[in-house]
Amino acid sequence: MAAQTLDQVVNLCKRRGFIFPGSEIYGGLQGTFDYGPLGVELKNNLKRLWWQHNVYERDDMEGVDTSILMNKYVWKYSGHEDTFVDPLVDCKTCKGRFRADKLNECQCLLHPKLKPGECEGQLTEPRAFNMMFKTQVGPVADDESFAYLRPETAQGMFVNFSNVLVSTNRKLPFGIAQIGKSFRNEITPRNFIFRVREFEQMEIEYFVTPGVDEQVHEDFIKDHVDWWVNVVGLSRENLDMYEVPAKDLAHYSKRTVDLMYKYPIGWEELEGIANRTDFDLGSHSKDQSKLGLTAKVIENEHSTEKLTYFDHVTNKHLVPFVIEPSAGVDRGVLAALCEAYTEEKLENGETRVVLKLKPALAPIKVAVLPLKKNEPRIVELAKSIKNTLLAKGDMRAVYDETAAIGKLYRRQDEVGTPFCITVDFQSLDDATVTVRDRDTMGQIRLPIADLYGYVRERI
Ligand code: GAP
């Protein structure tokens, strides 16, 4: 049985050290979560697989890691200062603040069983609430010395378009990829790590000649659906494509297709794939004289770059169109966890919780377990097997002797470890061990010398 409720996954994450509420000992900070010892491994594996597919396995992609703090004019010309808003309503009775378009996900503060507006409380008219966090830069606090925490990683790639183009001698089409933190002051963060105020994104800005954008958009949609299914292990029937209606498109988008995942909370966005046209490069290279600004202001505060591309075929400068696949790392982690979470009834009536993660995603690939922890020769052999596997440098192996073997198997099942290796008395005689498969619980006997190759092939 797969996860029926988000709580099952949340409980497992807390219990086994995947994800904890942020600042918990001080009562938490809404919309923040901390990744624990296993969570950080899972998240890093997801990001590594994404980078592998989208950067290393392509000949047309470059990676960057740009600053979270950017000149405030980036956000003016990107359109975020004016349009990165959600509709906010206040309840005059309970003083709660809610996202007007998500009232069905909110609870009245006085009557938690009711939605805002269903109670006696009166809601104000919606007003625009900008979701960018502001912070002060430098020691002087005045009206000008502020910056925003970036709400998307994308702008770091747009403002570096010329730097990457020139330094890598790229020709269109090519892309820039980045994984990094983004921040949004969400009005109603909720559903665990699904909607938070600090999260990570895996984004690509793929630059093309206008005219081929629509086909490239289709190609990315197909490629990314396949990646979530084949590499991350999401079931195809749990993924859907949502054509964002024109009235809901972001200010920069000509067309956006959202990849939706069937979380236990319902169908929700996992990744957005947008055709951003020439909006961003165009608006960062606007002819400043048209902005009606004085020369001094222009010099000091506005982009003087023209973010264009010289097309040797037409001998003209053009502003490339951009296709942008933008996925949430945390939403990817949550989807992988929901997909993998399984409860099985065993013959003895017990329930086995097992995370059937793709081996490549699993935080621990191999657990080496001694059948007897008070037999020094078994312990020594088990530790040396673990160290030999670790020394190969491409898989996390752990040694565990803190419980009886049956309990150790269950613990590893729960955190998704695909293979448990048990060292027993026979191992001392013939240099073989048992290898237990997480999903089938089947066991085979293998020579120690063959272990690395066996596991490697399967992860
Ligand atoms: N650069 C385009 C962009 O940021 P978006 O649809 O606003 O587009 C892209 O965000 C992805 O980032 C979403 O599909 C989602 O996976 C993730 N995301 C957005 N807001 C989030 C939040 N508050 N918490 C967690 N993930 C979020």
Side-chain angles (χ1 to χ4, degrees):
M1 194 172 70
Q4 303 292 298
T5 66
L6 197 58
D7 280 348
Q8 289 172 303
V9 175
V10 176
N11 292 340
L12 175 74
C13 284
K14 177 86 199 290
R15 193 169 69 244
R16 299 310 314 275
F18 280 89
I19 301 166
F20 310 119
S23 317
E24 199 179 8
I25 63 164
Y26 284 104
L29 177 66
Q30 224 197 348
T32 65
F33 285 89
D34 296 333
Y35 283 78
L38 294 177
V40 67
E41 300 289 343
L42 172 58
K43 182 155 85 147
N44 283 344
N45 288 341
L46 182 74
K47 292 192 285 186
R48 190 178 41 77
L49 292 169
W50 186 91
W51 198 262
Q52 173 77 23
H53 180 76
N54 289 291
V55 182
Y56 294 162
E57 287 172 13
R58 297 183 64 125
D59 296 325
D60 56 355
M61 202 72 79
E62 302 287 351
V64 293
D65 181 11
T66 68
S67 296
I68 287 170
L69 297 176
M70 301 178 80
N71 185 306
K72 55 181 173 290
Y73 282 94
V74 169
W75 304 108
K76 180 174 173 60
Y77 288 98
S78 70
H80 284 75
E81 265 192 345
D82 291 334
T83 59
F84 198 62
V85 290
D86 269 344
L88 173 79
V89 289
D90 292 85
C91 174
K92 292 179 186 167
T93 311
C94 75
K95 308 294 176 211
R97 292 192 151 174
F98 309 104
R99 210 173 123 175
D101 57 338
K102 299 273 179 197
L103 287 179
N104 60 341
E105 291 179 13
C106 304
Q107 297 168 315
C108 164
L109 300 190
L110 297 178
H111 309 285
K113 288 199 176 129
L114 299 177
K115 314 267 175 239
E118 286 177 0
C119 49
E120 71 275 10
Q122 211 194 334
L123 300 178
T124 58
E125 283 301 309
R127 65 180 192 282
F129 173 78
N130 194 300
M131 290 194 288
M132 285 194 290
F133 280 102
K134 242 182 191 179
T135 190
Q136 186 196 318
V137 177
V140 181
D142 60 27
D143 287 351
E144 288 303 305
S145 61
F146 72 88
Y148 296 108
L149 302 190
R150 67 181 179 201
E152 60 170 9
T153 74
Q155 297 302 325
M157 294 181 268
F158 292 128
V159 301
N160 278 294
F161 170 75
S162 299
N163 285 337
V164 175
L165 180 72
V166 171
S167 61
T168 62
N169 287 316
R170 284 286 178 186
K171 301 266 174 288
L172 291 186
F174 78 97
I176 307 181
Q178 162 154 249
I179 300 178
K181 288 251 173 170
S182 292
F183 301 82
R184 297 184 187 180
N185 196 3
E186 295 282 355
I187 298 169
T188 46
R190 60 185 54 243
N191 291 324
F192 192 37
I193 53 170
F194 178 78
R195 187 176 307 126
V196 278
R197 291 184 168 134
E198 173 178 343
F199 56 98
E200 276 188 272
Q201 292 183 308
M202 309 185 279
E203 296 200 297
I204 294 170
E205 307 306 327
Y206 193 80
F207 304 98
V208 299
T209 312
V212 299
D213 50 304
E214 290 179 7
Q215 185 55 50
V216 173
H217 195 185
E218 290 297 339
D219 296 344
F220 267 112
I221 294 167
K222 180 173 180 326
D223 183 65
H224 279 216
V225 169
D226 288 349
W227 183 78
W228 285 111
V229 173
N230 299 330
V231 179
V232 182
L234 306 185
S235 321
R236 185 61 188 84
E237 61 269 23
N238 286 343
L239 271 179
D240 205 358
M241 280 166 275
Y242 173 69
E243 188 75 43
V244 177
K247 67 175 178 42
D248 295 336
L249 287 175
H251 58 281
Y252 50 70
S253 173
K254 162 175 157 184
R255 179 186 176 218
T256 297
V257 172
D258 286 343
L259 305 190
M260 311 290 283
Y261 180 70
K262 195 175 176 194
Y263 295 95
I265 49 172
W267 287 97
E268 294 286 355
E269 180 185 337
L270 168 66
E271 172 167 11
I273 307 184
N275 183 337
R276 282 182 90 128
T277 69
D278 56 0
F279 177 86
D280 300 88
L281 294 183
S283 73
H284 288 307
S285 10
K286 268 196 182 127
D287 181 355
Q288 286 89 0
S289 60
K290 286 193 195 136
L291 298 173
L293 299 159
T294 66
K296 185 165 168 290
V297 173
I298 292 162
E299 234 175 67
N300 292 345
E301 294 172 346
H302 295 284
S303 163
T304 50
E305 286 270 350
K306 286 255 182 264
L307 301 180
T308 56
Y309 173 82
F310 186 74
D311 186 342
H312 289 274
V313 179
T314 58
N315 271 341
K316 281 188 183 147
H317 284 275
L318 64 88
V319 182
F321 267 38
V322 175
I323 303 303
E324 180 199 62
S326 171
V329 175
D330 310 81
R331 289 189 188 179
V333 167
L334 186 58
L337 285 168
C338 293
E339 185 81 36
Y341 183 97
T342 316
E343 286 185 8
E344 287 176 2
K345 266 266 174 283
L346 300 176
E347 276 172 12
N348 63 7
E350 281 178 20
T351 301
R352 177 173 92 118
V353 175
V354 50
L355 266 191
K356 295 189 172 176
L357 290 168
K358 279 260 190 194
L361 272 184
I364 300 167
K365 310 298 185 215
V366 182
V368 187
L369 315 171
L371 188 68
K372 283 227 172 291
K373 70 172 178 183
N374 45 14
E375 170 50 60
R377 289 176 307 153
I378 290 184
V379 168
E380 195 187 328
L381 180 58
K383 285 185 177 170
S384 86
I385 291 173
K386 183 216 81 174
N387 288 334
T388 309
L389 292 174
L390 264 188
K392 300 281 184 187
D394 58 359
M395 64 176 76
R396 176 113 196 268
V398 298
Y399 168 84
D400 193 359
E401 58 164 34
T402 56
I405 201 80
K407 201 163 187 182
L408 293 180
Y409 284 155
R410 289 286 176 278
R411 282 194 200 155
Q412 295 298 334
D413 290 344
E414 235 188 5
V415 301
T417 306
F419 302 105
C420 283
I421 291 169
T422 306
V423 180
D424 53 21
F425 286 102
Q426 189 184 334
S427 313
L428 302 174
D429 291 337
D430 65 3
T432 63
V433 288
T434 57
V435 180
R436 174 184 177 273
D437 181 281
R438 175 196 67 195
D439 297 345
T440 63
M441 294 191 282
Q443 300 193 15
I444 56 165
R445 197 125 197 131
L446 273 189
I448 294 170
D450 295 350
L451 275 178
Y452 174 73
Y454 179 87
V455 175
R456 177 71 248 164
E457 201 183 310
R458 286 159 181 80
I459 62 169

